[in-house]
Amino acid sequence: MQKYESWGRYPSAKPETVKPVFWQDEIADLNFSSKSLLPYGFGRSYGDSCLNEGGVLLDTSGLNRFLCFDEINGLLRCEAGVSLAEILEVIVPRGWFLPVTPGTKFVSVGGAIANDIHGKNHHRGGTFGCNVTQFELLRSNGERFICSPTSNLEYFQATIGGLGLTGVILWAEFKLKPIQNAMIDVEEIRFENIEEFFEISAQSDRDFEYTVSWVDCIATGKNLGRGVFMRGNHNQSKYQSKEAVNKKLPGTVPLDAPEFLLNGLTMKAFNTTFYHIHLQKRRIKTVPYDPFFYPLDKVDRWNKLYGKRGFLQYQFVIPSSDNHRAIREILGRISDSGEGSFLAVLKEFGHIKSPGMLSFPRPGVTLALDFAFHGDKTLRLLEDLDGTVRRNAGVVYPAKDARMSAESFQQYYPNWREFEQYIDPKFSSSFWRRVTSPGHIKG
C-alpha cells in the first residue's frame, strides 16, 4: 500500500483522504469534500510542501498520457502526472532532451512546475518554468484556465513555483533542447578549498552547459569547502547511439538504516574517502546521460539510508559577497556542528529570471545538504543557518523545507501576499499553514 509521505520522511502528516485521479474530466467537481485539497505527484518534495495534514491529497500520478509532440520545434505536451523518466525514454532516441532537470528523474511534470525545479544548467537555461509555454489549470469552482506568457499571465506566474496551491495542473507544454546523442562529455576537477571552487566555476560557466560540485562539508581550515567540480556538455558526435541507456532496474534499500550508522565518524569517513577517490586532479570521460544527471536514482528508496526518523534537506541561495564571506561562514558552522552531510551540492546560479512569483533560484551561490534528523540538535543548527541566510539577503527553498519559521519565509518571499490572492480557496498544505497561519504573520 502506497505511503503518501515526503521524500525526507519528516515531518509525518496523515491526510484524511487520498483521491487518485486518472482522467482530466474526473475532477470537474473539486467540492466533493469539505476538507482542503492538495495535488500530490510522486512525493519527491523533501519537506511538508507536498503534505496536507487532515485534508485531501489528489494523487495525480494517473494523469500520465502524452498528448502532442512537435518534433520540428521540440514542443512536448503531456498530462501533469507524466514523469521526467517517461519523457526521457521517448525523446532521447528522437534527438531531444529536457530543458532543465533536477537530480532525480522521478518527478512529475506538474511537480516540476509547482516547485519550479532547477538543475546543473541554471546559468544557461534558467528554471523549468522558463521553458513552459502553456498549461491548463483547473480551479475548484470548475473554471479551467489556459495559462501562458500571453494568456492569464497572473495565474501562469503564480502557478510556476506556486507549490500546488493555485489549482490542479491538468497538462503542460514545454520546450525541449536538441541533442546529437545520449552521451555527455564530462570533466571532473578536484579543488582544494572554496576559493578554488569559485575560480573554476567562473571559467566553467562560460564553456560548459552543466556545472555542479560535491563539497566535503567536514573539511576545515585551509581545506574549507574542498570538493570535486563536475562540468559537462552534450556530446556532439552524430555517430553515437541515440537509444535510451541504462535499462537496468535500480537497486533498492529494503529497510531503514539503523541510526548508529549515522554519526560524525561515519560522515567524516565517507567525505574523506569520497574526496580522495578522485586521486587525479582532473579526469575527462564521456558517459551516458543517466549517471551524470541521476546518480542517486541508481538506488531506489535511498532515503531509507537516513533511518526511520528521516532527514531534512536544506538548500539556500545567497548573493555573492566580499571574499565569499557568507558561504565561508555557513560552511564553517556546518563543519563545527559535526552534523555534516553525505550529500552537499554547491553551484552558482545564473541571472536568468524565472517567471514564477515564488520561484527560489536567483543569482548567487547555492548549497544543498542532507541532515539526518537528530531532533532539537538538528533543528537548532538549521535555525542558526537561517539567521546567516537572512542577514545576507538569501532565501531557503520551500520545496525542500520542513521547518522554516513564518518569520523566515515572509522575509525570504516578501511577495507572498501578492501570491496569496491566486491561491485556490479550496487548496492548502501543511507547509503553507505553517508559514502563514494567523499569529505567525509578520506586519
Side-chain angles (χ1 to χ4, degrees):
M1 185 175 180
Q2 180 178 353
K3 277 189 174 180
Y4 288 87
E5 58 184 10
S6 69
W7 190 246
R9 306 170 76 195
Y10 174 85
S12 62
K14 188 174 181 180
E16 182 187 81
T17 309
V18 175
K19 179 177 173 52
V21 179
F22 298 99
W23 303 99
Q24 293 182 35
D25 293 337
E26 186 180 357
I27 47 178
D29 181 9
L30 290 174
N31 290 300
F32 64 89
S33 171
S34 61
K35 303 293 185 179
S36 64
L37 312 176
L38 185 70
Y40 184 100
F42 297 127
R44 288 296 179 129
S45 294
Y46 286 80
D48 55 356
S49 66
C50 64
L51 303 179
N52 192 13
E53 173 78 45
V56 178
L57 290 179
L58 300 170
D59 182 345
T60 58
S61 59
L63 294 175
N64 57 3
R65 283 161 285 269
F66 288 87
L67 303 176
C68 181
F69 187 19
D70 177 351
E71 291 201 52
I72 303 298
N73 297 302
L75 280 175
L76 177 67
R77 186 183 301 180
C78 62
E79 290 183 330
V82 176
S83 71
L84 300 189
E86 292 167 320
I87 292 172
L88 287 165
E89 282 199 19
V90 171
I91 64 173
V92 171
R94 291 171 168 79
W96 296 95
F97 201 74
L98 295 166
V100 169
T101 181
T104 175
K105 57 186 176 184
F106 299 121
V107 301
S108 68
V109 168
I113 295 173
N115 295 292
D116 201 13
I117 59 170
H118 57 273
K120 297 177 177 67
N121 65 337
H122 183 270
H123 60 288
R124 293 276 187 93
T127 66
F128 193 85
C130 295
N131 299 277
V132 173
T133 51
Q134 58 177 330
F135 56 79
E136 184 173 9
L137 185 70
L138 173 65
R139 303 275 288 182
S140 62
N141 61 5
E143 287 185 299
R144 292 176 179 237
F145 295 148
I146 302 297
C147 303
S148 75
T150 57
S151 178
N152 295 306
L153 176 61
E154 297 83 0
Y155 284 103
F156 183 77
Q157 295 171 323
T159 302
I160 293 175
L163 304 171
L165 296 169
T166 61
V168 180
I169 301 171
L170 297 177
W171 57 263
E173 180 185 86
F174 51 94
K175 293 176 286 189
L176 304 174
K177 67 169 64 176
I179 56 173
Q180 295 293 335
N181 58 66
M183 308 298 283
I184 303 291
D185 295 329
V186 180
E187 193 170 343
E188 296 175 341
I189 306 171
R190 192 175 63 176
F191 55 91
E192 305 296 331
N193 48 46
I194 192 67
E195 287 77 16
E196 190 177 357
F197 161 80
F198 281 107
E199 291 172 10
I200 298 170
S201 181
Q203 301 163 5
S204 302
D205 284 1
R206 184 184 57 223
D207 299 325
F208 289 85
E209 183 163 5
Y210 302 106
T211 63
V212 71
S213 296
W214 169 84
V215 175
D216 177 359
C217 60
I218 302 294
T220 59
K222 66 179 183 180
N223 294 127
L224 184 73
R226 73 179 182 182
V228 180
F229 200 101
M230 289 155 277
R231 56 192 190 184
N233 288 314
H234 288 281
N235 182 275
Q236 295 301 310
S237 170
K238 295 181 180 179
Y239 304 104
Q240 291 275 11
S241 171
K242 288 183 179 179
E243 293 301 311
V245 293
N246 196 17
K247 293 283 188 181
K248 289 177 60 178
L249 292 174
T252 189
V253 179
L255 299 170
D256 294 301
E259 288 192 22
F260 71 85
L261 288 177
L262 304 169
N263 57 55
L265 289 176
T266 56
M267 201 76 66
K268 185 174 183 178
F270 171 84
N271 278 268
T272 302
T273 302
F274 190 88
Y275 179 75
H276 286 290
I277 280 175
H278 296 76
L279 294 176
Q280 296 174 305
K281 176 69 175 175
R282 187 180 302 256
R283 187 162 61 184
I284 297 174
K285 55 187 178 182
T286 298
V287 300
Y289 72 82
D290 217 69
F292 178 71
F293 288 104
Y294 313 113
L296 291 175
D297 285 347
K298 288 181 180 176
V299 184
D300 189 29
R301 301 299 300 179
W302 61 262
N303 54 348
K304 288 186 177 181
L305 292 171
Y306 285 95
K308 289 183 178 178
R309 299 183 75 180
F311 70 101
L312 297 95
Q313 185 162 97
Y314 187 79
Q315 183 171 7
F316 64 84
V317 56
I318 48 177
S320 299
S321 59
D322 295 340
N323 197 29
H324 313 299
R325 172 185 46 79
I327 190 68
R328 292 171 61 87
E329 178 183 336
I330 290 175
L331 285 170
R333 286 175 183 271
I334 294 169
S335 180
D336 291 344
S337 75
E339 286 280 294
S341 169
F342 293 114
L343 177 70
V345 177
L346 185 66
K347 176 179 167 56
E348 285 190 279
F349 282 149
H351 292 265
I352 300 175
K353 184 176 173 54
S354 168
M357 285 184 192
L358 291 187
S359 288
F360 160 72
R362 61 207 63 197
V365 59
T366 182
L367 178 64
L369 311 105
D370 289 346
F371 293 96
F373 182 51
H374 293 143
D376 288 344
K377 182 181 178 185
T378 307
L379 297 175
R380 283 196 300 272
L381 170 63
L382 299 187
E383 180 61 30
D384 185 41
L385 298 182
D386 275 350
T388 304
V389 173
R390 287 198 303 265
R391 286 193 299 276
N392 288 280
V395 300
V396 171
Y397 195 6
K400 296 183 175 179
D401 180 66
R403 30 54 59 198
M404 79 167 77
S405 67
E407 180 185 11
S408 290
F409 174 76
Q410 291 160 33
Q411 179 174 330
Y412 296 148
Y413 299 93
N415 58 345
W416 72 276
R417 284 291 199 188
E418 178 189 2
F419 166 78
E420 196 174 40
Q421 63 183 303
Y422 300 104
I423 294 178
D424 189 294
K426 283 284 294 182
F427 281 52
S428 186
S429 69
S430 295
F431 170 84
W432 193 253
R433 291 190 290 274
R434 175 164 58 83
V435 299
T436 65
S437 59
H440 297 280
I441 297 176
K442 181 183 176 184

